[in-house]
Amino acid sequence: MITDRLFGSVRFELWGDNPEEFLTKCAASGVELWDIKRDGDIFSAATRPWQETDTKKIAKECRLVYTKISEKSIPHTVKKYRFRYGILVGALLLL
């Protein structure tokens, strides 16, 4: 979605004994989660980048293992491609 690119999103996985406690604590503290999936013992979801530290802290409190899968946002993409001058030259030639 376009809002995910503008505001950014962080996709992560959790595994451990009690992911339901994690969901309850995230809802109580106001952390936005979406695209929530559960595949056996592995639980995955997405959140905003500025809420990632809260998500990690809650996962640690619930004794879950937190693994970041991907991060998508315009600032992250610009940082990733900032030293690739061929893309900039190609864009300028296109204009």
Side-chain angles (χ1 to χ4, degrees):
M1 287 178 61
I2 190 120
T3 57
D4 288 346
R5 284 289 184 182
L6 287 174
F7 299 119
S9 67
V10 176
R11 186 117 187 98
F12 63 91
E13 285 184 346
L14 297 170
W15 63 274
D17 292 335
N18 195 3
E20 290 83 11
E21 181 184 1
F22 171 79
L23 290 175
T24 304
K25 286 187 177 186
C26 282
S29 64
V31 174
E32 294 179 51
L33 296 176
W34 65 90
D35 199 18
I36 301 169
K37 296 177 184 171
R38 186 172 187 171
D39 185 26
D41 291 341
I42 299 173
F43 167 80
S44 64
T47 189
R48 298 285 177 216
W50 57 85
Q51 293 178 328
E52 184 182 12
T53 55
D54 296 335
T55 307
K56 286 181 184 178
K57 186 175 16 172
I58 294 169
K60 190 173 182 177
E61 289 173 6
C62 297
R63 295 179 305 281
L64 299 172
V65 178
Y66 179 95
T67 306
K68 183 176 178 179
I69 298 173
S70 66
E71 182 175 1
K72 296 179 183 177
S73 67
I74 290 176
H76 180 71
T77 305
V78 168
K79 183 179 176 184
K80 182 177 169 183
Y81 292 109
R82 69 180 170 196
F83 294 117
R84 299 200 180 172
Y85 299 113
I87 295 172
L88 179 62
V89 171
L92 289 175
L93 289 176
L94 183 65
L95 297 175

